[in-house]
Amino acid sequence: MGAARGRLIGPGIRPRLAAKARVQTDRVSGQVVLLDPEGVLVLNSTGAAIVGLCDGRRTIEEMVAERAERYDAPPASLSGDVAAYLARLGDRGLLEIPGTEGAAR
Amino acid sequence: MSVASVAPGAGSMRPLRPFGLLAELTYRCPLHCPYCSNPEAIPLGDGELTTAEWVRVLGEAADLGVLHVLLSGGEPLARRDLSELVAAARREGLYTNLITSAIGLTRARALALKAAGLDSVQISLHADQGASADAIAGLPAHVNPSTINAWRSHGPHHHDLELPG
């Protein structure tokens, strides 16, 4: 189905949020929440920023570069954390990789 | 259901609030599964909330902090206003998840529900063999896999196959 599992996470892929998932601002707490069939994930600001970059166009490398610029930090210092976070989302079935539909069947 | 699984930062969500609403829209159901707690003694359709009442309840739930609504029953597809209720839930920012046997879920109905904003569908299967599924449900209830594949292409986004324990 093109779902991004952990083993598929690499610097050159372009993940996007799975169609079944939705991100919105919670009207009660004002926090960013990610909704999917399994439940609710409350995202901290860093998580929300990373999820927001999962648009199916940016590569993970580009996402890391964007975050590095935001924090004025060397990309190498962030890449591990970004990859780990994306792997967690992928393991939960929350990411898709455009163009891979059917490839994993 | 697991509506409360939460990522780092969840502590700041306190005070506690409900995340999920199980909306049992009707007692009507074409199936007669022996394990089910759905009451059979209630006259069909009697005492169900009206469309306007459900719309109000969905809004009140969202104000309480609910983010997730399970549309269940009975068989929720028995409600002719289901698309209307889905649309109302979406207007309130609720994630909508339809729990159904898929009996009555024609492609046209699936498309209408998707257009109304339905986020997810869970289809209950009763066995992996048609004859067994029908025996459990008390009538021909098994779903043809090709039908599910058609929904996968055209219908709402996600299908969980919920098997009774």
Side-chain angles (χ1 to χ4, degrees):
Chain A
M1 282 286 289
R5 301 293 166 182
R7 62 190 168 78
L8 296 175
I9 297 289
I13 69 162
R14 304 170 194 271
R16 70 179 173 211
L17 196 59
K20 66 185 178 187
R22 219 165 76 215
V23 173
Q24 65 189 36
T25 301
D26 175 41
R27 71 165 73 165
V28 172
S29 67
Q31 290 178 296
V32 178
V33 290
L34 192 161
L35 308 174
D36 83 339
E38 304 302 323
V40 178
L41 282 174
V42 182
L43 304 182
N44 60 25
S45 60
T46 306
I50 293 173
V51 168
L53 294 172
C54 293
D55 57 7
R57 298 191 300 274
R58 291 180 176 86
T59 65
I60 292 178
E61 201 167 17
E62 289 164 345
M63 294 166 64
V64 169
E66 187 141 342
R67 296 309 294 162
E69 192 175 321
R70 164 76 174 75
Y71 289 115
D72 198 18
S77 68
L78 298 176
S79 58
D81 286 345
V82 171
Y85 190 74
L86 292 174
R88 280 172 57 203
L89 294 176
D91 286 343
R92 207 178 144 118
L94 293 173
L95 297 179
E96 294 171 348
I97 304 170
T100 62
E101 187 74 14
R105 287 179 186 172
Chain B
M1 68 174 299
S2 60
V3 167
S5 64
V6 155
S12 53
M13 288 294 279
R14 291 189 178 88
L16 292 175
R17 32 74 82 88
F19 280 89
L21 169 68
L22 172 59
E24 297 189 335
L25 300 176
T26 179
Y27 291 126
R28 287 175 282 161
C29 184
L31 307 186
H32 302 285
C33 309
Y35 59 82
C36 186
S37 59
N38 191 43
E40 290 190 341
I42 294 176
L44 289 183
D46 189 45
E48 291 182 9
L49 299 189
T50 64
T51 306
E53 286 169 333
W54 271 118
V55 169
R56 173 177 57 78
V57 167
L58 291 166
E60 290 173 351
D63 287 340
L64 284 173
V66 168
L67 292 169
H68 229 266
V69 58
L70 293 179
L71 300 164
S72 185
E75 172 51 66
L77 289 169
R79 294 277 306 214
R80 293 187 179 183
D81 58 356
L82 186 58
S83 289
E84 207 175 325
L85 298 179
V86 168
R90 281 302 300 267
R91 281 197 300 275
E92 296 291 348
L94 298 170
Y95 188 95
T96 53
N97 199 345
L98 175 65
I99 313 296
T100 177
S101 68
I103 290 179
L105 186 58
T106 59
R107 184 166 179 273
R109 193 108 197 256
L111 289 171
L113 288 165
K114 184 181 182 185
L118 184 63
D119 289 295
S120 176
V121 179
Q122 286 186 24
I123 298 171
S124 298
L125 301 181
H126 302 89
D128 64 351
Q129 300 291 320
S132 303
D134 295 351
I136 292 168
L139 81 169
H142 66 274
V143 177
N144 188 321
S146 66
T147 308
I148 292 182
N149 283 334
W151 295 328
R152 201 187 292 283
S153 307
H154 303 291
H157 300 308
H158 181 73
H159 303 275
D160 275 343
L161 302 183
E162 177 192 87
L163 295 167

